Amino acid sequence: MKLLKLVAIFLIMSVASYSKIEVKVFKHLTFQEINSTDMREAVIGKGVLQIEAEEEDYGKVVEFVFVEKGVMTNGKTPIQVEKFNLADEKDKKIVIDRKTKQVEFYAVVDKRKIGRRAIDAKILEGKYVGVMPIEVNIYAPEIKKGE
């Protein structure tokens, strides 16, 4: 019986001692309306990632790595996304210094590639869904000499 209590106490202590860093989508990627009168060649979609950490994680470095290209679809027609990236280059590596931090990311769609084919507006309209793989690397803080 004592052994069982001892094991239970160790399990509870070990679970409580792990810290947790969560990266989740705070605001989904949304694009401006694509209309044919707009003469810009690219449409940019913006979204927000949220990083949540505990005090034990302060000082750790979070690094984001995005894929270069992707595809999204409305169920009728696929559209190629040219580039995924963070809105600010300095946010590629973030040192955690607070409980929550929000980081903007964006994606670029080339309108010329959409307009190459003769597409009926009804086929082009709709809610687009896609996947944006993000690799999140978390590094422990550097230990300085003399500490």
Side-chain angles (χ1 to χ4, degrees):
M1 191 67 173
K2 285 185 179 182
L3 181 62
L4 184 61
K5 288 181 184 178
L6 186 63
V7 169
I9 289 172
F10 278 125
L11 285 174
I12 291 172
M13 288 177 57
S14 67
V15 169
S17 68
Y18 287 115
S19 59
K20 187 176 179 182
I21 297 176
E22 283 187 25
V23 178
K24 56 185 170 185
V25 177
F26 182 73
K27 182 182 172 196
H28 290 278
L29 187 65
T30 54
F31 289 87
Q32 301 170 2
E33 285 188 32
I34 302 173
N35 63 32
S36 59
T37 60
D38 191 3
M39 297 306 289
R40 282 186 249 146
E41 295 178 3
V43 180
I44 298 175
K46 294 182 181 177
V48 178
L49 293 174
Q50 181 168 313
I51 304 167
E52 293 181 359
E54 298 174 2
E55 281 190 40
E56 300 90 39
D57 297 321
Y58 289 4
K60 289 185 178 178
V61 177
V62 178
E63 179 185 22
F64 295 102
V65 179
F66 290 88
V67 296
E68 283 297 314
K69 296 185 179 190
V71 175
M72 62 182 183
T73 182
N74 64 352
K76 299 172 188 170
T77 181
I79 294 178
Q80 185 173 1
V81 179
E82 294 298 315
K83 183 177 184 182
F84 293 107
N85 213 341
L86 291 174
D88 198 359
E89 283 296 316
K90 67 178 181 158
D91 287 337
K92 284 214 177 212
K93 288 187 179 180
I94 299 172
V95 178
I96 296 176
D97 58 352
R98 59 188 124 166
K99 188 169 177 102
T100 61
K101 180 171 175 114
Q102 293 181 348
V103 179
E104 286 188 347
F105 64 96
Y106 70 90
V108 178
V109 173
D110 189 359
K111 283 177 54 175
R112 290 179 291 169
K113 292 189 178 177
I114 298 172
R116 278 188 190 161
R117 301 171 280 159
I119 299 176
D120 185 23
K122 291 179 181 177
I123 295 174
L124 193 60
E125 291 177 352
K127 183 177 180 180
Y128 282 83
V129 179
V131 208
M132 183 182 69
I134 305 172
E135 183 180 326
V136 180
N137 300 320
I138 301 172
Y139 302 106
E142 262 186 45
I143 299 174
K144 297 177 182 173
K145 291 181 181 178
E147 287 187 10

